[in-house]
Amino acid sequence: MKKRSFVSIILLLAVSGLIFSTFYSCKPANKNIGLQLYSIRDSITSDVPGAIAKVGKMGYTFVEPAGYGNGKFYDMEPAAFKALCEANGLPVISSHTGQALPDSANWDKIMAWWDDCIAAHKAAGARFLVQPFMGGEAYRSLDTLKKYCDYFNLIGEKCNAAGIRFGYHNHDNEFSTQLEGQTVYDFMLANTDPSKVMFEMDLYWTVVGGANPVDYFNKYTGRFELWHIKDKAEVGASGMMDFEAIWAAAEQSGMKYGVVEVEEYNFDQFTSCQKSVEWLNAAKFVVMPE
C-alpha cells in the first residue's frame, strides 16, 4: 500500500511538471531582435547606464549604438560600454557612424579617423559597422556617387581586416532619386563589392521611398545582412508595412540580424520600444536567425 502511494505521488509530480512545462513553453520566447539606441536618444545621452538597464528588461537581445564619437560610445570607453551592455544581456552587434566622402586635403585625416573608429568598435565587440548617410552631393552627380561607392569599398576592406563587416543604411532618397536614369540605391548595389560592403535595409524608409523591399531581396540576393525593422511609429502599429510578406523573403535577403528603430512615438520612447519588441515576439511569421 505504501509503495503504491509512493509511485502514485511520483507519477502525479511528473504529470504536473509536464503541464507546468507545457504551459510556459507556450509563452512567446524572446526572439533575436536588437534595438537601435537612437530610438531612446532623449534618455541615453543623459543617463547611459539607466537607459541600457531599461532596454535590457524589454526583451531585446542586443543593441546598435548611434553614439560613437572621439573614440568613445556615449562618452564611455569602448571596453566599458561593452561591459555595461553585456551586463544587461545586450551585446553590441552593430553600430552607426561614418564620415562624408573626403577630398585630397583631408583624406589622410579621415583615413586615420576610420582606423581609430574600427579599433574602437572592435574593442566594443561590434560585428558590423554601418554608415547611415551620404553628403547631398551624392544625390546630384553620378560621378560623385561612384566615388562614394569606391570609398565604401575601401572602408569595407579596412573593416574586413579587423573582422568587422561594413555596411550602408538607407533612407528614402536613395529610392526616390534618379541620376542619368539610374536609381541611387541600385547604382550603389551594382558598384559596391559584396565581399566588402553589405546593406542594412531600413524597411520603412524603403517603402516611403516608393520601393518594395521584397523586390530588392529577389534582385540582389544576400546583400541585406542587417534590417532596420521600422514603422511610422511603433512596429506593427500603422498597418502600412506588409511585414508578413517581407519576412517570407528574409532568407532570400541574407538577413542575419534585425534591429528595431523607433523614430516617432505614440507613447514615451521606452514604451514605444517595448511595444515594438512585444509585437515582433508575438508575431508568428517573424522568424529571426539565431
Side-chain angles (χ1 to χ4, degrees):
M1 183 70 177
K2 290 182 179 180
K3 183 177 180 181
R4 186 177 302 167
S5 298
F6 177 76
V7 172
S8 298
I9 291 170
I10 294 298
L11 287 173
L12 179 61
L13 289 172
V15 171
S16 298
L18 178 62
I19 292 171
F20 183 85
S21 175
T22 301
F23 174 77
Y24 279 95
S25 68
C26 292
K27 295 175 67 178
N30 290 342
K31 297 169 184 175
N32 192 25
I33 299 168
L35 180 68
Q36 164 54 248
L37 294 178
Y38 183 74
S39 305
I40 54 169
R41 55 196 173 275
D42 293 343
S43 301
I44 193 167
T45 52
S46 60
D47 181 8
V48 181
I52 295 296
K54 287 182 180 180
V55 174
K57 296 174 182 177
M58 290 182 188
Y60 290 100
T61 56
F62 65 91
V63 290
E64 180 182 75
Y68 174 80
N70 299 321
K72 297 181 179 182
F73 294 84
Y74 303 101
D75 291 325
M76 294 183 67
E77 294 293 339
F81 183 70
K82 176 185 180 182
L84 170 66
C85 292
E86 291 183 352
N88 287 278
L90 299 167
V92 177
I93 296 295
S94 57
S95 175
H96 275 202
T97 189
Q99 291 285 333
L101 179 68
D103 57 25
S104 57
N106 66 347
W107 183 269
D108 290 343
K109 179 181 178 180
I110 297 302
M111 290 302 108
W113 183 93
W114 276 111
D115 290 338
D116 292 341
C117 173
I118 292 167
H121 281 78
K122 186 75 173 178
R127 304 179 197 176
F128 296 85
L129 205 168
V130 181
Q131 173 145 331
F133 67 90
M134 294 187 291
E137 69 276 8
Y139 300 91
R140 295 190 291 269
S141 163
L142 201 62
D143 179 63
T144 303
L145 182 59
K146 178 60 166 62
K147 290 178 181 177
Y148 259 102
C149 292
D150 295 340
Y151 171 52
F152 289 156
N153 283 332
L154 176 61
I155 303 307
E157 189 172 348
K158 282 179 172 287
C159 286
N160 283 350
I164 295 175
R165 284 288 279 158
F166 176 75
Y168 179 77
H169 169 283
N170 65 278
H171 292 85
D172 57 323
N173 286 350
E174 291 87 345
F175 302 95
S176 60
T177 304
Q178 289 201 342
L179 298 171
E180 300 179 26
Q182 299 191 61
T183 302
V184 166
Y185 201 62
D186 292 73
F187 185 88
M188 294 179 72
L189 282 156
N191 287 275
T192 50
D193 184 340
S195 70
K196 299 174 183 177
V197 180
M198 65 87 196
F199 285 76
E200 179 177 56
M201 176 174 276
D202 187 301
L203 304 174
Y204 173 75
W205 285 123
T206 299
V207 171
V208 170
N212 184 342
V214 176
D215 292 341
Y216 277 89
F217 299 162
N218 290 331
K219 186 175 181 181
Y220 301 99
T221 301
R223 295 297 305 273
F224 309 95
E225 296 178 24
L226 300 179
W227 287 4
H228 257 197
I229 306 167
K230 190 188 298 181
D231 207 329
K232 182 171 177 58
E234 298 75 36
V235 175
S238 74
M240 67 175 285
M241 298 294 295
D242 189 357
F243 285 118
E244 187 165 1
I246 291 170
W247 248 279
E251 185 175 356
Q252 186 84 349
S253 77
M255 188 258 281
K256 296 179 180 178
Y257 293 96
V259 185
V260 166
E261 184 179 35
V262 185
E263 291 193 69
E264 297 183 27
Y265 316 90
N266 291 317
F267 308 89
D268 67 89
Q269 291 184 349
F270 288 105
T271 301
S272 292
C273 292
Q274 176 86 58
K275 288 182 176 293
S276 294
V277 75
E278 287 176 351
W279 187 87
L280 290 165
N281 279 328
K284 293 181 179 179
F285 62 81
V286 174
V287 179
M288 305 299 297
E290 295 300 322

